[in-house]
């Protein structure tokens, strides 16, 4: 019985997570990125680093992979691969999720903006 409830809850939460990201709107994410991320990040292939690393191809890649960017020790040691389930908490609260990160960004408050931004990052390939 308990296992049944647990499995049910897991399926429900997975379905929810999938639907949130399935609804992520890359075009809206691009606008959000321009306003909130582009001060520190470029997105085009081969564009240089700014305060933060170039983010082309970041989706699905291991953290700290841009060769000519000087990442924090925390990021280098994180072992993160930037899939949805790692991007969402990092973008929501960078320094809460990864103490010692150099990304001094407060975090995205709204789930919708977060999902849109991730949908946009996934197009950068
Ligand atoms: C104030 C500057 C700043 C802002 C604004 C900012 N970032 Fe960052 N970001 C950084 C820095 C600096 C790093 C490197 C972190 C480290 O080495 O600990 C980083 C790292 C990252 C990484 C990991 C890159 C990798 O190669 O592992 C991702 C993904 C990322 N940022 C996404 C975003 C997104 C999306 C936004 C907008 C919602 C954003 N950042 C806003 C400065 C910023």
């Amino acid at each position: 019985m308990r296992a049944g409830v647990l499995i049910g809850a897991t399926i429900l939460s997975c379905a929810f997570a999938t639907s949130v990201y399935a609804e992520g709107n890359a075009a809206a994410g691009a606008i959000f990125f321009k306003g909130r991320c582009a001060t520190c990040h470029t997105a085009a292939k081969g564009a240089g680093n700014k305060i933060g690393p170039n983010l082309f191809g970041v989706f699905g890649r291991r953290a700290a992979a841009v060769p000519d960017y000087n990442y924090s020790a925390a990021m280098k040691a994180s072992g993160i691969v930037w899939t949805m389930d790692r991007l969402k908490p990092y973008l929501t609260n960078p320094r809460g999720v990864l103490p010692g990160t150099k990304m001094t960004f407060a975090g995205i408050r709204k789930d919708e903006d977060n999902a849109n931004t991730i949908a946009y990052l996934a197009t950068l390939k």
Side-chain angles (χ1 to χ4, degrees):
M1 180 58 196
R2 263 180 102 172
V5 170
L6 202 68
I7 290 166
T10 308
I11 290 171
L12 245 183
S13 62
C14 289
F16 179 67
T18 310
S19 72
V20 166
Y21 289 108
E23 285 161 20
N25 178 324
I31 294 168
F32 188 85
F33 186 93
K34 264 203 178 134
R36 302 290 298 281
C37 318
T39 347
C40 297
H41 291 287
T42 57
K45 185 176 187 173
N49 302 314
K50 293 168 95 177
I51 293 169
N54 170 257
L55 292 181
F56 183 83
V58 75
F59 188 85
R61 189 171 67 194
R62 70 185 164 79
V66 174
D68 60 347
Y69 182 77
N70 185 22
Y71 289 94
S72 65
M75 187 63 85
K76 285 191 236 170
S78 71
I80 291 172
V81 174
W82 292 120
T83 49
M84 284 175 189
D85 58 325
R86 301 310 294 273
L87 278 166
K88 180 172 197 271
Y90 183 68
L91 297 181
T92 304
N93 184 5
R95 283 169 294 171
V97 179
L98 189 63
T101 182
K102 291 181 9 182
M103 177 150 137
T104 55
F105 171 71
I108 304 176
R109 268 185 223 310
K110 280 170 63 187
D111 274 0
E112 190 188 351
D113 290 334
N114 203 319
N116 292 345
T117 305
I118 293 170
Y120 170 65
L121 291 179
T123 67
L124 304 176
K125 58 184 176 199

